[in-house]
Amino acid sequence: MDKFDIVIAGGAMAGMTLALAIQHRCQTSLSIAIVEPFETNHQAHPGFDSRSIALSYGTVQLLKNFDLWQDIAPVATPINDIHVSDRSHLGITEISAAEVGVLALGYVVELADVGRIFAQKIAQSANIELICPDSVADIERSQDEVTIRLQSGRQIGSSLLVAADGAVSTCCEKIGLEMHEHDFEQVAVISNVVTDKPHQGRAYERFTEQGPIALLPMSEGRMSLVWCLPPEQAKAVKSMPDEQFIEHLQQRFGWRLGKIEKVGQRASYPLILRYRPQNISHRFAIVGNAAQTLHPIAGQGFNLGIRDVASLAQEIADSQGDPGSYVMLNRFRLRREQDRQATITLTSALVHVFSNDYLSLRIGRNLGLMAMNGISAVKAPLLQRTLGLVER
């Protein structure tokens, strides 16, 4: 049986970032295995598909700390401004990088690009073994070790197993960790669109009575669309001919970017909050979507997961001994508690407030947006979380 100091189940963004972060923090003193069912360069890899994600300012600082940002920067598009509005109502707020005093509020990257870059770095790392394609079949834990049997029949041992294997985590299910679910009764339709006006690095969050529409600036003048709708409407919108889809989106989003000229291939996924209150167990930790999967409103989910990764990597490095010890794991648990709860509460509250057209909430949210635009003290708490500048 091959033995490693740490085994990470899941080789998408969270898992690969964790492996590279631990390597950087521990200066290659720990051996790491990543168990991943899908080959990174395979078009069907669910963790590195056609989606784009917004990396907050704080996430970029963490990636810089891990010596990863310089490789991602060439394929990243800066977010210079964020424009938040409520369809057919007065509420508008804007946040600019200049106002905050940073070069960019965040950056948009295509997951496929980051997957390719990280795979190259993993391949060059002597202390990281990528076991792919393979997956976890069974887990046995003793006092000092975790034994993992893989679907291929191979057995590997480790001091610590980290679940980074997505929202419906096989590892968490085998360990028996409880998961809470809340169905937002929305589906996200995603695509890339092209508009006749240049985006100039501006991101848009547009609240409509059906749900939020987000447009993120991308390379080559494209915008990444995330359109949240009730399930039946999402199904209808996704299957519309391009011309009809564009017309429908134009009506909902407006003309701030001029005419929407082109739409790419569409995909969709249901929006369900999945949250595991317990993010550790004996010789076991959870990061990223396996710990919590959030609604995409305000773009918090991935950035919260990277804070999980950064905290665990730092605690492992600081432990300077057994990477799966209870003392280290408990420090990680306590460290992540407040940030996880606050971010989950914020995103769920935003969905509730902005995804309906009740008169009382409509008035309240518009007053709130106008207040945020005029009073910096009101804007500050949301701005801090948007930038990812929170305690972890």
Side-chain angles (χ1 to χ4, degrees):
M1 180 172 69
D2 294 323
K3 295 198 175 183
F4 300 88
D5 293 304
I6 299 165
V7 171
I8 301 168
M13 279 291 289
M16 281 200 174
T17 305
L18 178 61
L20 293 166
I22 294 170
Q23 176 184 250
H24 182 75
R25 285 275 189 226
C26 300
Q27 296 300 304
T28 71
S29 62
L30 296 177
S31 59
I32 303 166
I34 303 173
V35 181
E36 170 54 42
F38 297 91
E39 293 185 31
T40 308
N41 60 359
H42 195 279
Q43 288 186 343
H45 192 296
F48 292 116
D49 58 17
S50 58
R51 285 174 296 169
S52 296
I53 52 168
L55 307 178
S56 70
Y57 175 84
T59 292
V60 170
Q61 302 316 301
L62 292 175
L63 292 172
K64 285 180 179 177
N65 291 344
F66 302 143
D67 206 22
L68 296 174
W69 178 246
Q70 75 274 11
D71 295 307
I72 299 171
V75 297
T77 302
I79 300 174
N80 302 320
D81 305 273
I82 299 173
H83 183 282
V84 184
S85 62
D86 196 2
R87 181 174 177 263
S88 303
H89 305 296
L90 293 173
I92 290 176
T93 191
E94 295 196 52
I95 304 167
S96 72
E99 168 193 356
V100 178
V102 294
L103 286 175
L105 296 170
Y107 292 81
V108 179
V109 295
E110 294 182 64
L111 285 168
D113 287 338
V114 181
R116 187 186 67 253
I117 291 164
F118 279 11
Q120 289 169 354
K121 293 184 79 69
I122 296 287
Q124 294 163 4
S125 302
N127 65 312
I128 302 175
E129 181 179 340
L130 179 61
I131 303 172
C132 176
D134 215 335
S135 58
V136 174
D138 200 19
I139 300 166
E140 287 184 20
R141 293 179 290 174
S142 63
Q143 183 175 336
D144 299 319
E145 189 177 51
V146 186
T147 302
I148 302 123
R149 184 171 60 81
L150 304 179
Q151 292 289 351
S152 63
R154 182 179 176 184
Q155 283 201 340
I156 54 177
S158 174
S159 296
L160 174 66
L161 171 61
V162 182
D165 52 346
V168 186
S169 166
T170 300
C171 290
C172 291
E173 289 178 356
K174 291 191 177 299
I175 295 288
L177 292 188
E178 179 187 17
M179 180 170 70
H180 295 173
E181 284 192 349
H182 172 70
D183 191 342
F184 290 112
E185 297 180 357
Q186 290 184 344
V187 170
V189 176
I190 59 173
S191 184
N192 295 336
V193 301
V194 177
T195 60
D196 70 351
K197 284 187 181 178
H199 56 62
Q200 297 181 318
R202 174 170 284 192
Y204 294 84
E205 184 101 45
R206 178 82 159 150
F207 296 108
T208 78
E209 54 271 28
Q210 289 88 23
I213 298 172
L215 281 167
L216 303 175
M218 295 174 66
S219 61
E220 300 169 359
R222 297 169 298 158
M223 300 288 283
S224 172
L225 168 70
V226 181
W227 188 357
C228 304
L229 291 159
E232 285 305 311
Q233 290 186 39
K235 186 178 178 182
V237 162
K238 185 186 172 189
S239 61
M240 285 176 179
D242 288 0
E243 198 172 298
Q244 188 182 355
F245 179 91
I246 288 170
E247 183 182 351
H248 205 62
L249 177 60
Q250 191 90 63
Q251 288 173 356
R252 296 296 182 276
F253 177 73
W255 296 85
R256 285 183 172 85
L257 285 164
K259 181 173 169 49
I260 299 167
E261 295 185 325
K262 188 178 176 184
V263 60
Q265 187 175 347
R266 280 157 259 166
S268 65
Y269 58 94
L271 298 177
I272 300 169
L273 169 65
R274 293 186 171 99
Y275 169 61
R276 297 185 194 272
Q278 190 178 336
N279 66 340
I280 65 163
S281 184
H282 177 62
R283 298 203 169 272
F284 184 74
I286 322 172
V287 296
N289 283 347
Q292 65 274 314
T293 306
L294 309 187
H295 192 288
I297 196 169
Q300 291 292 308
F302 174 76
N303 296 290
L304 177 62
I306 288 295
R307 296 198 291 274
D308 290 342
V309 164
S311 298
L312 183 58
Q314 188 169 330
E315 292 298 344
I316 289 170
D318 290 348
S319 69
Q320 296 182 338
D322 179 358
S325 71
Y326 171 76
V327 172
M328 185 284 294
L329 287 168
N330 197 46
R331 282 204 310 263
F332 169 67
R333 177 186 68 82
L334 293 171
R335 184 173 186 162
R336 295 305 302 135
E337 221 164 37
Q338 187 175 351
D339 183 20
R340 290 181 77 212
Q341 195 57 57
T343 308
I344 289 165
T345 301
L346 170 72
T347 54
S348 297
L350 286 172
V351 176
H352 174 66
V353 170
F354 283 101
S355 290
N356 65 71
D357 217 33
Y358 295 133
L359 179 62
S360 57
L361 288 177
R362 191 170 70 215
I363 293 169
R365 72 195 187 207
N366 280 274
L367 287 173
L369 286 173
M370 286 188 287
M372 282 175 63
N373 210 38
I375 308 169
S376 59
V378 177
K379 187 187 289 188
L382 183 59
L383 182 57
Q384 289 295 103
R385 205 153 284 278
T386 300
L387 289 172
L389 297 176
V390 295
E391 288 291 325
R392 57 165 187 83

